[in-house]
Amino acid sequence: MGNEEAVKLPSYVRETEQNSGSGPRVRARRSRLPRPLSLRVILGVTLGLYATLQYIRAYNDLSSASRSVKLPLHAEEYLDKCRLLDVKPGPPPDFNTREVSDRFVPGTKATLIKNATIWTGRVDGLQVLHADILLDGGLIKRIGHIEDSELEQYVELSRLDAQGKWVSPGIIDLHSHLGVYNSPVLSGAFDVNSRKGPILPWLRALDGLNTHDDAYRLSIAGGVTTAVVLPGSANAIGGQAVLIKLRPPTDRSPTGMLLENPYERNGSVYDPRAYFRYRQMKHACGENPDRVYSGTRMDTIWAFRQAYEKARQIKQAQDDFCAKATRGEWAGLGEFPEDLQWEALVDVLRGRVKVHTHCYETVDLDDLVRITNEFKFSIAAFHHAHETYLVPDTLKSAYGHPPAVALFATNARYKRESYRGSEFAPKILAENGLQVVMKSDHPVLNSRYLVYEAQQAHFYGLPHNLALASVTTTPATVIGQEHRIGFVKEGYDADIILWDSHPLALGATPQQVWIDGIAQLDAPHLVSKPASLQKVPPTPNFDKEAKEALEYEGLPPLDPQPSKARSVVFTNVSTVYLREEDGVSEVYTTSSTASSAAVVVVQGGKLICVGSASGHCAASIDDDAEYIDLEGGAVSPALVTVGSSLGLEEIRSEPSTMDGYVLDPLNAPTIPEILGGDGAVIRAADGLQFGTRDALIAYRAGVTTAITAPKSTGFLAGLSVAFSTAGHHKLEDGALIQDLAALHVSISPVGIPSVSTQIAALRNLLLGKTKGELKHALHKIRQGEIPLVISTHSADIIASVIALKSEVEAELGNPIKVTLIGATEAHLLAKEISDAHIGVVVSPTRPFPSRWAERRLLPGPPLSERNALAELLAHNVTVAVGVTEAWMARNTRFDIAWAALESNGTISKTDALALASTNVEKLLGVHGDDLHSDLVATQGGDLLELSKVVAVISPRRGVVDII
């Protein structure tokens, strides 16, 4: 005990020895006489009291000894840290009584929004109010009928009449890499992943947040007001996320973008001893960390367990230290046990960090759930999570509470662990009582269109209240911010959106976005939308498909079933669109005064007639015909997709499931002579894979033809092919539509070879001497028989292509066919492109500045009056649409519908259908046949609406496929 005073423990055996002076001790004799019972009781009580008093005296002596120990120099600091360990995360109880937001910008005028239809997010997302909204002090001050007398205090007040349109909370992106995975991508600002080890909880996305990302402005234009910016998924534990508001900060700093600063230490912003702000942290399992660190799932899970054991030991040491320190037992305690590297992971175990886990497959989900139970912490959300809908009970067994599930709507099959992804996952998870969030993984998906993910989830069966909540109230709750964002509620942050149509209506676009009560769109370009789009959109019934997704564990049969009847009759048809030589026309439509619902009769896969239910057409129906009620639906030309590797890959990241990449003559040292050396050109038809899931899903969505070029990362790709997305093999009748379509090259700034080198190579191909099959293909281009398709985005490169085309045509003495694909910046040269008779395939249809060459995009409403498609069409350019990845082909119908809806009437429905059918074939050199081209029957609306494809009429194959 050192210099501490020795303490004698009390004795509970009373001695009765007596000392008689200097003589011998004599032991007192114990009386053997019986005593009354009462005396024994009194004696027992007396002895008990004496023992108790002796114990109390000894305890006080111990306490005195403890108090005599010298207090550590930093004892008060340590006790403060101990007290902080018990502070629960979340806002103070009086948070919503605040008069001004902590993010309020002085000088911001109050705003009154009159006559709004408000989706508040409250009452399980079912509350809708017809009211006014007053924004002031960065907060929602009032909701209701606001009298002028209530506004007298405001010297300056911005007023806006919503005219009954929808107002919702600001969109919250639960999974974004805005500012750390920058747009455009530049090597000097790529801070999304560290490769310094699999376990890095000490890293913070805030330390790499770039305030100059071009995407902030675009995302705000889509209604995104708040984003959880996560580190990437290269690591098992990648670091701490940052929760930001997207408006430009007044101090221009990353810190100025924080919703709430959890790193505040000096108490000037908030006192962490009173309440603790949640932090957010990124975890990842499965393929990504396994690939980056050349490990296996076993390695990654051990890394997790090792890290959490380290954190558990620190937490236990802190708890033991504080237990003694608060009792005053300072002897031998030493310093407070902490480690800056591990403090965030310790806080995970204390329930003060929201854990976001990138996990796809059942095995990974199960691994992480077991870890939560082993180390007693909760997961806020599983992200990507493509197999969660198959194992809801696994999620429910997680420690604390079931994690939410953050999903893509239709993006799947890009790697093995996403192969079983289903568009019905949101519906199935919600039916199992789990929270569903739709997210962007920006820039994987452009977060400007995050609400489009919610629209698709709703289309495939997620109830409307949960679909809109999936990008507002639910993510706010998941990140522990439901006290201030995610709802339209008095006292909440003034982060709201005024929409031009119902937020779940296809093409819904903000007319204005407020963040902290500040309007974010300067002079927004408004689009007039049909009144029907102000209602919650009706959606098809996909119960059967969702049931099959579960029955077949995510891989239900996708092959269409041909009708067994010779004749198929479609009834209750409201509109019929058919292909013509130069486009698409509407040949039949119902109206309230002129026509009734039509019947469409098909025999042997060929359309025989269209007419009224009582007319001549109906009289021609066979007795054994199969009838399909379209319930006011339509018959339309089937769609054609181009721009992706559809048909050349099953799983993009698995080489054994794809055709592979061609050798590039500008990058490869030599092209093997066995290929033909410099005269080699690759045909996509030789590598076709039929029956891929992406192709069959596209077919079921009305995309029945794909035009695909060989996969290439360089200059010369090769010759594209046109094929049926429902074909079983290339020898089947109708499977191969055209084995040679166009010659494809790509010109882009890649460093080596230079752009000028690539242009020179193209000039030499067109004007120089060549050999082999390449010579034959180039001869067809020179004769104008097949098009030269050039993949590029830059306006500068496009200008060089225009000049080169003019040069080549002058040399040849005849025109050649040139088509641009990609063409993000083509709008800058719309007149010149038109004058040069160059066609354009815009891909993607909604542009994004992924690379430097795409930064001068035309964003469309509300940021610009026109989108790129409308601008090019206004200059009489032949325009089509394409996609960039195979999974996107299924959504072609929605892409062209969106383009038409935001064109303010300049793109009609027939124009839109042509963008993805006849125009594609024309620009890619595919010779379509109006009589033998496929048609699509949709139930409950036309192909550009939220209808269901129920049949494909295929004259080429002589069948009607029932979907």
Side-chain angles (χ1 to χ4, degrees), residues 172-195:
I172 301 168
D173 193 351
L174 192 68
H175 188 132
S176 177
H177 302 295
L178 262 169
V180 294
Y181 193 140
N182 287 279
S183 303
V185 174
L186 297 170
S187 59
F190 191 76
D191 294 296
V192 67
N193 279 310
S194 171
R195 305 296 178 102

Short mmCIF file of all heavy atoms in Angstrom, two decimals, residues 172-195:
data_model
loop_
_atom_site.label_atom_id
_atom_site.label_comp_id
_atom_site.label_asym_id
_atom_site.label_seq_id
_atom_site.Cartn_x
_atom_site.Cartn_y
_atom_site.Cartn_z
N ILE A 172 -33.18 13.33 -49.49
CA ILE A 172 -32.00 12.95 -48.69
C ILE A 172 -31.37 11.72 -49.32
O ILE A 172 -32.02 10.68 -49.45
CB ILE A 172 -32.39 12.66 -47.23
CG1 ILE A 172 -33.05 13.90 -46.60
CG2 ILE A 172 -31.16 12.24 -46.42
CD1 ILE A 172 -33.72 13.62 -45.27
N ASP A 173 -30.12 11.84 -49.72
CA ASP A 173 -29.40 10.72 -50.34
C ASP A 173 -28.59 10.02 -49.26
O ASP A 173 -27.62 10.58 -48.74
CB ASP A 173 -28.49 11.23 -51.45
CG ASP A 173 -27.96 10.10 -52.32
OD1 ASP A 173 -28.16 8.93 -51.97
OD2 ASP A 173 -27.35 10.39 -53.37
N LEU A 174 -28.98 8.80 -48.94
CA LEU A 174 -28.33 8.05 -47.86
C LEU A 174 -26.98 7.49 -48.28
O LEU A 174 -26.18 7.09 -47.43
CB LEU A 174 -29.24 6.92 -47.39
CG LEU A 174 -28.84 6.21 -46.10
CD1 LEU A 174 -28.98 7.13 -44.90
CD2 LEU A 174 -29.67 4.95 -45.89
N HIS A 175 -26.70 7.46 -49.57
CA HIS A 175 -25.44 6.87 -50.03
C HIS A 175 -24.92 7.67 -51.21
O HIS A 175 -25.36 7.50 -52.35
CB HIS A 175 -25.65 5.41 -50.44
CG HIS A 175 -24.38 4.66 -50.74
ND1 HIS A 175 -24.11 3.42 -50.23
CD2 HIS A 175 -23.29 4.99 -51.48
CE1 HIS A 175 -22.93 3.01 -50.66
NE2 HIS A 175 -22.42 3.96 -51.44
N SER A 176 -23.97 8.54 -50.93
CA SER A 176 -23.42 9.41 -51.96
C SER A 176 -21.91 9.51 -51.78
O SER A 176 -21.38 9.31 -50.68
CB SER A 176 -24.05 10.81 -51.86
OG SER A 176 -23.48 11.70 -52.80
N HIS A 177 -21.25 9.84 -52.89
CA HIS A 177 -19.81 10.15 -52.84
C HIS A 177 -19.55 11.53 -53.40
O HIS A 177 -18.44 11.83 -53.87
CB HIS A 177 -19.02 9.08 -53.59
CG HIS A 177 -19.22 7.69 -53.07
ND1 HIS A 177 -18.83 7.32 -51.81
CD2 HIS A 177 -19.81 6.60 -53.63
CE1 HIS A 177 -19.15 6.04 -51.61
NE2 HIS A 177 -19.75 5.59 -52.70
N LEU A 178 -20.58 12.38 -53.36
CA LEU A 178 -20.43 13.77 -53.78
C LEU A 178 -19.24 14.41 -53.07
O LEU A 178 -19.09 14.30 -51.85
CB LEU A 178 -21.69 14.56 -53.40
CG LEU A 178 -22.76 14.80 -54.44
CD1 LEU A 178 -24.01 15.36 -53.76
CD2 LEU A 178 -22.28 15.75 -55.52
N GLY A 179 -18.40 15.06 -53.84
CA GLY A 179 -17.30 15.80 -53.24
C GLY A 179 -16.06 14.99 -52.94
O GLY A 179 -14.98 15.57 -52.75
N VAL A 180 -16.17 13.65 -52.87
CA VAL A 180 -14.98 12.82 -52.68
C VAL A 180 -14.69 11.97 -53.91
O VAL A 180 -13.55 11.60 -54.15
CB VAL A 180 -15.08 11.94 -51.41
CG1 VAL A 180 -15.09 12.80 -50.17
CG2 VAL A 180 -16.30 11.03 -51.46
N TYR A 181 -15.74 11.66 -54.68
CA TYR A 181 -15.59 11.03 -56.00
C TYR A 181 -16.08 12.09 -56.97
O TYR A 181 -17.24 12.14 -57.34
CB TYR A 181 -16.45 9.77 -56.07
CG TYR A 181 -16.18 8.85 -57.24
CD1 TYR A 181 -16.17 7.47 -57.08
CD2 TYR A 181 -15.95 9.36 -58.53
CE1 TYR A 181 -15.95 6.62 -58.16
CE2 TYR A 181 -15.73 8.51 -59.60
CZ TYR A 181 -15.74 7.15 -59.41
OH TYR A 181 -15.52 6.31 -60.47
N ASN A 182 -15.18 12.95 -57.39
CA ASN A 182 -15.57 14.23 -57.96
C ASN A 182 -16.00 14.15 -59.42
O ASN A 182 -15.60 13.26 -60.16
CB ASN A 182 -14.41 15.22 -57.83
CG ASN A 182 -14.23 15.68 -56.40
OD1 ASN A 182 -14.93 16.55 -55.94
ND2 ASN A 182 -13.30 15.06 -55.70
N SER A 183 -16.82 15.11 -59.79
CA SER A 183 -17.29 15.24 -61.16
C SER A 183 -16.90 16.62 -61.67
O SER A 183 -17.26 17.63 -61.05
CB SER A 183 -18.81 15.09 -61.20
OG SER A 183 -19.19 13.83 -60.64
N PRO A 184 -16.19 16.65 -62.81
CA PRO A 184 -15.65 15.50 -63.53
C PRO A 184 -14.50 14.83 -62.77
O PRO A 184 -13.86 15.47 -61.93
CB PRO A 184 -15.15 16.11 -64.85
CG PRO A 184 -14.85 17.53 -64.51
CD PRO A 184 -15.85 17.94 -63.48
N VAL A 185 -14.27 13.58 -63.06
CA VAL A 185 -13.22 12.83 -62.37
C VAL A 185 -11.86 13.36 -62.80
O VAL A 185 -11.55 13.43 -63.99
CB VAL A 185 -13.32 11.33 -62.71
CG1 VAL A 185 -12.13 10.58 -62.12
CG2 VAL A 185 -14.61 10.76 -62.18
N LEU A 186 -11.08 13.76 -61.82
CA LEU A 186 -9.71 14.22 -62.06
C LEU A 186 -8.82 13.57 -61.02
O LEU A 186 -9.20 13.43 -59.85
CB LEU A 186 -9.62 15.74 -61.96
CG LEU A 186 -10.44 16.54 -63.00
CD1 LEU A 186 -10.46 18.02 -62.63
CD2 LEU A 186 -9.86 16.34 -64.39
N SER A 187 -7.62 13.17 -61.41
CA SER A 187 -6.74 12.45 -60.50
C SER A 187 -6.35 13.29 -59.29
O SER A 187 -6.05 12.75 -58.23
CB SER A 187 -5.48 11.98 -61.24
OG SER A 187 -4.78 13.10 -61.78
N GLY A 188 -6.39 14.61 -59.43
CA GLY A 188 -6.01 15.47 -58.32
C GLY A 188 -7.08 15.62 -57.26
O GLY A 188 -6.83 16.25 -56.22
N ALA A 189 -8.25 15.09 -57.50
CA ALA A 189 -9.35 15.22 -56.54
C ALA A 189 -10.17 13.94 -56.50
O ALA A 189 -11.37 13.94 -56.69
CB ALA A 189 -10.24 16.41 -56.90
N PHE A 190 -9.46 12.84 -56.24
CA PHE A 190 -10.13 11.55 -56.16
C PHE A 190 -9.84 10.98 -54.78
O PHE A 190 -8.84 10.32 -54.55
CB PHE A 190 -9.61 10.62 -57.26
CG PHE A 190 -10.42 9.35 -57.42
CD1 PHE A 190 -11.65 9.39 -58.06
CD2 PHE A 190 -9.97 8.15 -56.93
CE1 PHE A 190 -12.41 8.24 -58.21
CE2 PHE A 190 -10.71 6.98 -57.08
CZ PHE A 190 -11.93 7.03 -57.71
N ASP A 191 -10.73 11.27 -53.84
CA ASP A 191 -10.46 10.98 -52.43
C ASP A 191 -11.48 10.03 -51.84
O ASP A 191 -11.75 10.07 -50.64
CB ASP A 191 -10.45 12.29 -51.64
CG ASP A 191 -9.29 13.19 -52.04
OD1 ASP A 191 -8.15 12.78 -51.81
OD2 ASP A 191 -9.54 14.28 -52.58
N VAL A 192 -12.02 9.14 -52.66
CA VAL A 192 -13.11 8.30 -52.18
C VAL A 192 -12.63 7.09 -51.40
O VAL A 192 -13.30 6.62 -50.49
CB VAL A 192 -14.01 7.87 -53.36
CG1 VAL A 192 -13.28 6.93 -54.31
CG2 VAL A 192 -15.31 7.27 -52.89
N ASN A 193 -11.46 6.56 -51.75
CA ASN A 193 -10.94 5.36 -51.09
C ASN A 193 -9.49 5.54 -50.67
O ASN A 193 -8.69 6.15 -51.39
CB ASN A 193 -10.98 4.14 -52.04
CG ASN A 193 -12.35 3.50 -52.12
OD1 ASN A 193 -12.96 3.21 -51.10
ND2 ASN A 193 -12.82 3.26 -53.33
N SER A 194 -9.16 4.99 -49.52
CA SER A 194 -7.76 4.83 -49.13
C SER A 194 -7.39 3.37 -49.32
O SER A 194 -8.21 2.49 -49.10
CB SER A 194 -7.55 5.24 -47.67
OG SER A 194 -6.25 4.88 -47.25
N ARG A 195 -6.16 3.12 -49.72
CA ARG A 195 -5.69 1.74 -49.89
C ARG A 195 -4.63 1.40 -48.84
O ARG A 195 -3.77 0.56 -49.06
CB ARG A 195 -5.10 1.54 -51.30
CG ARG A 195 -6.05 1.93 -52.46
CD ARG A 195 -7.28 1.06 -52.51
NE ARG A 195 -8.21 1.46 -53.56
CZ ARG A 195 -8.35 0.84 -54.72
NH1 ARG A 195 -7.60 -0.20 -55.01
NH2 ARG A 195 -9.24 1.25 -55.61
#
